[in-house]
Amino acid sequence: MFTALVVDDEPQMTAIIAFALTTQGFQAIEAHDGATAMHLLRTRHVDLVVLDVLMPALGGLTLCEMIKAKYPGVAIVLVTALSRPEEVIAGLERGADDYVTKPFHPRELVLRALAVLRRYTGPALLRVGELVIDAAQHTVTIGERRLTLTDTECKLLAHLAARRGTPQSWQDLLREVWGTANLTGGRDVVKSTVYRLRSALEALDAASYVQTVRGAGYMMPDRPDR
């Protein structure tokens, strides 16, 4: 049974989300502010946080960043009324795994939550040349040097590594890495994440592990040049 922490300053919304999750086998606990949420994370096992973006005092984006810094193995789905691409990107850049825009159907949120959690239980170890990806621990090393990546960047790299030699379109990446078929702003989300990932790789002279294939998307080659 997965445990989900639902964080929203509106008790009615928290109750709706918690009920939808429990009907699908989750154990749901609730918090109505950031301080309570962090306390529950310290004292309870939590697999998933469903987090409202617009909250007073400690905002959802700041809280998202704090959670990922302290508990990188906890999945986060943002719930937001802000649907502009730059606002969605801001949430994903803070470490969120997916987002749902209001108004939404509770069933949609549950399906997204399950899709996110499936990504956290994928293959444990991938090796391509000197690159080693430990998906279970969310760590990436090249030789003896460790890359500092967000969970989403790590998942993107793992996805490309598992399908090396085959270009992946931004639509495929959005569906498989972010777990969403909502294409609004998706190209920019993927492009921004690939840019940050390549920058991290470039710092270790390993940018060739992620290549842009014109008109087709992105790919990790079978034999990256080092």
Side-chain angles (χ1 to χ4, degrees):
M1 178 185 292
F2 291 117
T3 298
L5 170 60
V6 183
V7 188
D8 196 310
D9 62 305
E10 298 181 12
Q12 184 178 7
M13 180 59 69
T14 307
I16 290 171
I17 295 173
F19 178 76
L21 290 166
T22 56
T23 60
Q24 297 300 313
F26 283 83
Q27 179 181 3
I29 53 179
E30 302 176 21
H32 302 298
D33 58 77
T36 303
M38 294 304 293
H39 172 73
L40 289 170
L41 284 161
R42 286 193 300 270
T43 58
R44 301 281 298 271
H45 170 78
V46 173
D47 300 292
L48 168 76
V49 176
V50 179
L51 175 59
D52 185 49
V53 171
L54 297 177
M55 293 196 302
L58 186 59
L61 294 183
T62 300
L63 183 57
C64 176
E65 197 167 35
M66 291 172 60
I67 293 171
K68 281 299 182 180
K70 288 182 174 291
Y71 309 101
V74 174
I76 298 179
V77 174
L78 292 179
V79 177
T80 177
L82 308 174
S83 58
R84 292 187 300 174
E86 60 268 27
E87 292 160 341
V88 172
I89 291 170
L92 296 172
E93 287 181 337
R94 299 291 184 99
D97 297 280
D98 200 359
Y99 66 93
V100 178
T101 55
K102 296 178 181 179
F104 60 88
H105 193 286
R107 178 65 175 162
E108 177 194 1
L109 186 146
V110 171
L111 290 174
R112 288 178 180 273
L114 290 170
V116 164
L117 288 168
R118 280 196 296 271
R119 301 206 300 269
Y120 276 75
T121 58
L125 202 66
L126 288 167
R127 296 178 183 270
V128 182
E130 293 183 317
L131 177 71
V132 179
I133 305 169
D134 188 333
Q137 298 298 320
H138 304 282
T139 61
V140 179
T141 56
I142 295 179
E144 297 181 354
R145 296 176 295 176
R146 180 169 173 170
L147 275 75
T148 301
L149 302 177
T150 66
D151 287 347
T152 301
E153 291 160 5
C154 182
K155 291 171 197 168
L156 173 58
L157 190 63
H159 180 86
L160 295 174
R163 296 158 181 80
R164 55 191 177 275
T166 303
Q168 303 293 303
S169 69
W170 68 266
Q171 295 95 329
D172 289 337
L173 292 173
L174 198 66
R175 182 173 58 252
E176 297 297 329
V177 177
W178 279 267
T180 179
N182 185 347
L183 302 183
T184 303
R187 184 191 295 270
D188 290 335
V189 169
V190 173
K191 184 177 180 180
S192 175
T193 306
V194 169
Y195 174 80
R196 295 195 310 274
L197 176 57
R198 283 183 58 87
S199 295
L201 290 166
E202 191 171 21
L204 297 184
D205 193 28
S208 63
Y209 276 97
V210 176
Q211 298 180 357
T212 300
V213 182
R214 190 167 185 175
Y218 304 96
M219 179 184 73
M220 181 179 293
D222 283 321
R223 298 171 181 265
D225 296 327
R226 286 297 318 278

